[in-house]
Amino acid sequence: MTDATGNTDFQRRWQGAMMENFGTPRLALVRGEGTTLWDADGRAYLDFLGGIAVNALGHAHPAVVRAVSDQIATLGHVSNFYVSGPTVTLAERLLALAGRPGRVYFSNSGAEANEAAFKIGRRTGRTHMVSTAGGFHGRTMGALALTGQPAKQQPFAPLPGDVDHVPYGDVEALRAAVTTDTAFVILEPVQGENGVVVPPPGYLRAAREITAATGTLLVLDEIQTGIGRTGHWFAAQEEGVEADVVTLAKGLGGGLPIGATLAFGPAADLLTPGSHGSTFSGNPVVCAAALAVLDTIERDGLLDHVKRAGERLRSGIEALAHPAVASIRGAGLLLGIVLTEPLAPQAQQAAQDAGLLVNAVAPDVIRLAPPLIVSDDDVDTFLRKLPGVLDTAREAADGEQRSGD
Ligand SMILES: Cc1ncc(COP(=O)(O)O)c(C=O)c1O
């Protein structure tokens, strides 16, 4: 795909037609199957990013392909004036997985799932909100107000709402910030976008106690951690924590766009008729895909598989004892390789050159979020290639430093 100018054709076309918000992509992909992706030149890549924790069942999984094809051939869209089977069935299934009665609102993305949570919070009559520094909750204006990353927020200030961002994992800071005026606290069980940051044990339980004491809603953003990613349907189930609102997206649709906002107890009744909506909410094709994802996770025992594969990956990286690796953190198949130096961008490029897709989620953290179906062979291939990738990254960083001197 390289043209005569040395620029790649897809990059030139992208630059001519697309808004610049994403930057220019480094690769054009044309096909995927299982954990493998192919570019236009026929080069194969082992996918350890999973479309940023989206492709739960990998690429072109037969169950998703069948569910989507059958549903679009039967009924593709009905509007919110009517209902179709997959929509209600998916809501019932999600509530069953949560193990509690409640209500579900479907949307099209993670940010939208959090926008609905924001509006639920507003309906308590309280206006103060608490989120965490570094937390990522999306890029629409309400979700961006909750996101605790000033560089993403400041260009769009003023943002809606009275939001305090407290240090993540700090129980006392949370306790000090939450009052009887606080509508909700929003937290990720593991901060994904902020570098796969795991809070201390008991943090979510403490958040539950603090919010319960002030009548504040606890919103758990499980957009990245939910649907099996950590080896549980919901990451907070590990600590037995039950939130008032849980938001989902990413892995739920198996590659199709869907968000879900689950609300329990009194929070489930705060969105009254006419108070919220979206044309595509509960689209039957997307809901059929999500049902295929849930069925497959259940049928193939993928929650246990994620725990085993995640442990193989984590212990395998530790056993390499590579000097560029400081530590590994995360849960299940959401792992961050913390580097001793800010080498992650170079490592991402070196990995791609070696046929591995990973993500530099912070200057010194490589994020791994492979499909939940990742095999032992895939993990071993990754472990075999990783030392060379890190060596190359170090050489590239040294070269950049020398040329900058
Ligand atoms: C925890 C979390 N919340 C919300 C979002 C936003 O989701 P989306 O990009 O689908 O709007 C993300 C996306 O990375 C996320 O990781």
Side-chain angles (χ1 to χ4, degrees):
M1 274 187 90
T2 307
D3 69 12
T5 65
N7 197 355
T8 55
D9 186 47
F10 77 87
Q11 285 177 331
R12 203 161 35 79
R13 288 174 53 205
W14 175 280
Q15 284 162 358
M18 303 290 288
M19 288 197 194
E20 293 179 326
N21 55 304
F22 288 118
T24 304
R26 39 183 84 229
L27 204 55
L29 297 166
V30 294
R31 191 166 75 81
E33 193 180 325
T35 52
T36 307
L37 286 159
W38 285 269
D39 71 13
D41 297 325
R43 245 193 118 211
Y45 300 85
L46 180 59
D47 183 9
F48 263 50
L49 182 55
I52 319 184
V54 165
N55 296 100
L57 304 185
H59 302 274
H61 192 285
V64 175
V65 172
R66 199 174 323 111
V68 168
S69 320
D70 288 354
Q71 187 60 43
I72 193 78
T74 309
L75 188 60
H77 176 80
V78 294
S79 92
N80 308 124
F81 296 128
Y82 313 103
V83 69
S84 67
T87 312
V88 188
T89 306
L90 179 61
E92 290 168 346
R93 283 288 294 282
L94 290 172
L95 295 171
L97 296 176
R100 299 177 280 160
R103 296 185 190 278
V104 180
Y105 168 73
F106 288 119
S107 52
N108 311 292
S109 69
E112 279 182 73
N114 284 336
E115 290 290 338
F118 195 128
K119 287 179 81 172
I120 289 171
R122 274 294 171 83
R123 296 296 292 236
T124 62
R126 302 181 184 186
T127 52
H128 178 240
M129 292 159 275
V130 175
S131 182
T132 57
F136 187 78
H137 301 292
R139 306 258 198 170
T140 53
M141 290 297 271
L144 189 58
L146 302 173
T147 288
Q149 301 185 15
K152 294 186 173 78
Q153 296 175 292
Q154 271 157 10
F156 301 97
L159 294 167
D162 171 17
V163 188
D164 279 326
H165 292 93
V166 297
Y168 184 66
D170 182 338
V171 172
E172 289 319 311
L174 189 61
R175 198 186 308 281
V178 176
T179 72
T180 51
D181 291 329
T182 309
F184 65 87
V185 169
I186 184 164
L187 295 173
E188 294 160 85
V190 173
Q191 281 188 336
E193 209 68 18
N194 193 34
V196 193
V197 181
V198 183
Y203 180 60
L204 298 182
R205 240 188 346 266
R208 178 66 287 181
E209 281 158 22
I210 291 166
T211 48
T214 52
T216 298
L217 300 180
L218 177 62
V219 180
L220 286 181
D221 178 340
E222 294 248 19
I223 285 162
Q224 191 154 159
T225 54
I227 312 299
R229 176 59 48 195
T230 69
H232 302 272
W233 286 110
F234 307 101
Q237 287 174 333
E238 165 95 28
E239 279 198 17
V241 172
E242 295 191 335
D244 302 291
V245 178
V246 176
T247 54
L248 300 169
K250 288 199 182 273
L252 177 59
L256 274 82
I258 185 169
T261 306
L262 282 55
F264 304 94
D269 297 321
L270 290 172
L271 287 187
T272 48
S275 60
H276 194 51
S278 166
T279 297
F280 291 112
S281 173
N283 172 272
V285 177
V286 180
C287 289
L291 281 167
V293 170
L294 301 184
D295 285 344
T296 306
I297 291 176
E298 215 157 57
R299 190 198 57 213
D300 294 353
L302 289 181
L303 298 184
D304 285 341
H305 173 74
V306 165
K307 289 183 195 130
R308 277 194 307 272
E311 192 41 47
R312 186 182 186 94
L313 186 53
R314 177 196 287 262
S315 58
I317 297 169
E318 276 163 0
L320 293 174
H322 193 280
V325 176
S327 62
I328 322 282
R329 62 192 185 201
L333 285 172
L334 177 61
L335 293 176
I337 306 177
V338 185
L339 303 174
T340 52
E341 301 164 67
L343 287 177
Q346 291 89 345
Q348 176 176 309
Q349 183 60 51
Q352 182 180 309
D353 295 342
L356 294 177
L357 299 187
V358 299
N359 159 240
V361 71
D364 61 344
V365 185
I366 302 168
R367 174 173 45 185
L368 308 179
L372 309 185
I373 55 159
V374 69
S375 69
D376 285 355
D377 279 353
D378 293 333
V379 170
D380 294 347
T381 300
F382 178 85
L383 293 172
R384 205 169 48 249
K385 290 188 175 189
L386 184 62
V389 164
L390 294 173
D391 291 343
T392 307
R394 279 177 133 187
E395 283 158 24
D398 286 350
E400 283 165 28
Q401 206 172 17
R402 270 197 303 279
S403 62
D405 284 346

